[in-house]
Amino acid sequence: MNVNTPASSLRRSPDKAANGSHLPTNLSTSKSFYIVLAIAIGAAGLLFMDNQQGYYLKTSLRKSNENNIGLASSSSTTDIIQLRVPKEADGDIVSNKDDGEEPQLESESVVAISEFEKKTDELKASPLNNISPADTSIEQKSRAFPIWINNRRAVDNNSRPYGWCVSEDLASDDESPKGLLFVKVHKSGSSTGAGVTLRIRDGLSRRLTHLNETAPGNCFAHYNHATASELGFEKRDPSQSFLWSIVREPAQRTLSHYFYYHISKQNNKATEDGIMAVLKSSEKQNYQSKYLDLPSQNEQSSSSTERIINGYDFVAVNERMQESLVVLAMLAQIPLTDVVVFSSKIAGGYDGGNGKSCVKLKNKWTTPKIDEYIHGDYQSVNKDDYLLYNAAQRSLDKTIDALGRHRVEENVKLLRSLQQQNDEQCASKVTMPCPEPIDEQEKREHIRLVKESCYFSDIGCGHACTDEVLADYGEKEWASITSSYGQG
């Protein structure tokens, strides 16, 4: 029926004898008019309600997409809302967690949605994600790490660009540590860091010797496991040292430490109780903060995080290794080729060798109970480590912005290209310590090749081939760096 048809044209058909058909024409017409009017009003109302329902439904769907909440009903009132909290990416941690049944909530779902959004926001703000600058504590404790020579010349205009490249004799001459100093924290990406440190040492020693006969020869570098406090790095000479390290998401580091030293190395079987015990161990709490702390550095600092962030020349982030290595090269003013290394893990899941027993690495895993503890009490009792980790993340972002985000991004692409070139041309020439041959004669030859290939153990393997393959680009980059900053 057309609701716009004039009332005067509405008449009962003679063949449709029904209620009111016997009424006089004027009365029938009047009654028909009101019937049609009522129908029209009703239709308009339904159309309005339908439009409104469509608007609210679209709004609800849009909001549901934003909050990962799926509507199970298209009715104007949400009968059933199914909530699914997606599992966060945990790097190399394999979880046995099963999503199970999804809860179905009725009219009280508004409360549940609020709680769900709160939990989701907590997960988004977890240490594996970018940290919001709005967190004032992290913001205040982070900083943009300066280019080393720029920072030194702000203090002394006569500072040499590579004043931290000193001989071993000079480095051990007094109580002020000097040289390229890497604090090697267990299971934080420290094998990569040690390999990079040694490649920087060798590359810079070679280039400076070529430029200047009075260069120190080999630059001294520290790259072994020991705490910063044990090494006395809080007393270092900032004008003759470059101090750096790597931090890792605390729970992942603790799990890697447990699975390597207690499970893989001792060939034990991991248990939920065992994992929970090590996570709760006071010995492992705030491990990285304690390992890296410079206790007498700036007594006014209120936290170990401030002492570390302000006392180191750079703190890299394991989960952002490529960005971190690019930034390290830019801060130290060295070619990108010096931070290209083979991963120690190309050995096929082994660790050790070259004088140490080969250890077959076992996969890490967690359970819902372990995950719940990690996202709750573990973060509370390890608040110093999480503050340090988040401050390092934020400092990396600030440093990238200070150096020029576009420049850093382009250098990350370049580093990947150099790494690919190195892998393609050198992988077949690298001899990793593990696995070792069974035959004794073959084992002796294998050990000889490993000593030629690696600095020690599985650190920096293939470095000679890397130098050869990337030599041309490295020298061009070095020429560009030295022409910009000069030598002195």
Side-chain angles (χ1 to χ4, degrees):
M1 178 183 294
N2 189 344
V3 296
N4 295 318
T5 303
S8 59
S9 67
L10 296 174
R11 293 290 187 273
R12 287 278 182 182
S13 299
D15 59 335
K16 291 185 179 178
N19 292 334
S21 61
H22 62 283
L23 294 175
T25 301
N26 59 342
L27 183 59
S28 177
T29 300
S30 176
K31 185 174 181 179
S32 298
F33 169 79
Y34 287 111
I35 292 172
V36 171
L37 181 62
I39 292 172
I41 292 172
L46 288 171
L47 182 60
F48 174 79
M49 290 173 65
D50 184 65
N51 287 337
Q52 288 297 95
Q53 176 177 319
Y55 169 78
Y56 288 120
L57 180 58
K58 289 176 183 177
T59 303
S60 299
L61 285 170
R62 183 169 62 250
K63 290 181 178 179
S64 73
N65 288 334
E66 293 171 354
N67 296 302
N68 295 323
I69 300 174
L71 293 177
S73 172
S74 60
S75 62
S76 58
T77 58
T78 306
D79 297 321
I80 299 175
I81 297 181
Q82 297 179 325
L83 309 181
R84 180 193 296 271
V85 182
K87 188 180 187 308
E88 294 293 315
D90 284 330
D92 55 0
I93 298 177
V94 180
S95 176
N96 294 333
K97 180 183 289 187
D98 187 353
D99 289 331
E101 293 297 321
E102 298 172 340
Q104 296 185 348
L105 308 173
E106 309 245 348
S107 58
E108 300 86 358
S109 58
V110 174
V111 176
I113 290 172
S114 175
E115 291 299 314
F116 171 78
E117 290 175 336
K118 180 180 178 182
K119 183 64 176 176
T120 301
D121 288 340
E122 290 172 358
L123 290 173
K124 289 178 180 177
S126 69
L128 285 178
N129 294 280
N130 290 332
I131 304 304
S132 170
D135 190 321
T136 56
S137 178
I138 294 170
E139 190 71 12
Q140 291 172 357
K141 290 175 172 57
S142 60
R143 67 167 179 144
F145 294 102
I147 294 173
W148 188 89
I149 183 54
N150 292 358
N151 190 44
R152 294 315 310 160
R153 284 182 173 170
V155 178
D156 180 2
N157 193 49
N158 295 319
S159 296
R160 295 186 299 111
Y162 303 98
W164 46 268
C165 179
V166 300
S167 67
E168 184 172 356
D169 290 341
L170 181 60
S172 59
D173 189 37
D174 54 37
E175 294 184 357
S176 297
K178 301 175 180 65
L180 179 56
L181 310 176
F182 174 66
V183 182
K184 191 181 181 190
V185 182
H186 294 274
K187 313 317 293 181
S188 67
S190 57
S191 294
T192 296
V196 167
T197 298
L198 289 168
R199 281 193 48 72
I200 293 174
R201 179 200 68 180
D202 286 359
L204 191 57
S205 297
R206 183 176 63 252
R207 296 184 185 101
L208 290 181
T209 301
H210 178 73
L211 284 174
N212 187 351
E213 292 182 358
T214 62
N218 285 331
C219 303
F220 172 76
H222 173 83
Y223 46 85
N224 295 316
H225 287 301
T227 69
S229 179
E230 289 170 343
L231 296 165
F233 283 173
E234 70 276 6
K235 302 175 185 177
R236 75 181 178 107
D237 181 351
S239 68
Q240 293 185 293
S241 61
F242 188 104
L243 177 61
W244 78 290
S245 190
I246 305 171
V247 294
R248 184 180 183 184
E249 197 282 323
Q252 285 204 49
R253 196 216 64 82
T254 301
L255 288 169
S256 288
H257 195 280
Y258 170 74
F259 272 86
Y260 177 70
Y261 288 102
H262 297 276
I263 304 304
S264 298
K265 204 167 184 180
Q266 299 181 26
N267 197 27
N268 290 329
K269 183 178 180 180
T271 64
E272 184 180 67
D273 289 343
I275 296 172
M276 289 293 291
V278 76
L279 288 171
K280 293 179 179 181
S281 169
S282 59
E283 180 184 347
K284 298 294 187 293
Q285 288 175 9
N286 297 305
Y287 186 90
Q288 295 175 98
S289 296
K290 295 173 183 175
Y291 208 98
L292 297 173
D293 196 10
L294 304 171
S296 63
Q297 176 77 23
N298 188 0
E299 293 292 348
Q300 300 301 315
S301 296
S302 60
S303 72
S304 58
T305 293
E306 289 177 281
R307 292 191 291 270
I308 294 165
I309 296 297
N310 293 324
Y312 282 64
D313 292 299
F314 182 54
V315 178
V317 178
N318 174 279
E319 288 79 4
R320 300 170 64 182
M321 188 62 80
Q322 287 189 325
E323 288 174 282
S324 292
L325 292 179
V326 164
V327 169
L328 172 65
M330 295 174 76
L331 295 181
Q333 290 295 289
I334 56 168
L336 282 177
T337 52
D338 285 1
V339 298
V340 174
V341 293
F342 276 107
S343 170
S344 299
K345 303 301 178 278
I346 66 172
Y350 283 90
D351 189 88
N354 202 1
K356 299 180 181 179
S357 298
C358 288
V359 176
K360 180 65 175 177
L361 301 177
K362 297 183 179 181
N363 291 331
K364 297 184 290 293
W365 53 265
T366 65
T367 64
K369 178 182 177 180
I370 294 170
D371 291 341
E372 182 180 1
Y373 178 74
I374 287 174
H375 288 291
D377 291 345
Y378 179 84
Q379 293 191 15
S380 297
V381 298
N382 289 277
K383 60 183 184 298
D384 290 349
D385 263 15
Y386 277 105
L387 180 59
L388 171 61
Y389 179 75
N390 292 337
Q393 289 252 41
R394 182 67 185 128
S395 294
L396 179 57
D397 286 328
K398 285 183 176 181
T399 307
I400 290 172
D401 288 336
L403 293 171
R405 187 162 291 274
H406 179 70
R407 284 182 61 205
V408 173
E409 290 172 351
E410 289 301 309
N411 280 340
V412 169
K413 293 178 183 177
L414 178 56
L415 178 61
R416 289 172 181 161
S417 176
L418 293 171
Q419 186 69 61
Q420 181 178 356
Q421 184 179 349
N422 181 57
D423 292 348
E424 290 173 351
Q425 298 189 42
C426 291
S428 61
K429 302 176 184 179
V430 177
T431 302
M432 299 298 292
C434 297
E436 293 180 332
I438 298 176
D439 181 78
E440 287 299 323
Q441 184 175 349
E442 291 180 359
K443 183 182 290 187
R444 286 193 292 272
E445 175 63 12
H446 176 80
I447 292 173
R448 184 188 69 79
L449 292 173
V450 167
K451 289 181 178 180
E452 292 180 358
S453 180
C454 311
Y455 287 117
F456 66 94
S457 186
D458 58 356
I459 306 299
C461 298
H463 58 88
C465 182
T466 302
D467 284 337
E468 181 181 349
V469 168
L470 304 181
D472 289 344
Y473 183 82
E475 294 313 311
K476 289 178 183 177
E477 193 177 6
W478 174 248
S480 175
I481 291 171
T482 53
S483 65
S484 298
Y485 288 90
Q487 298 294 307

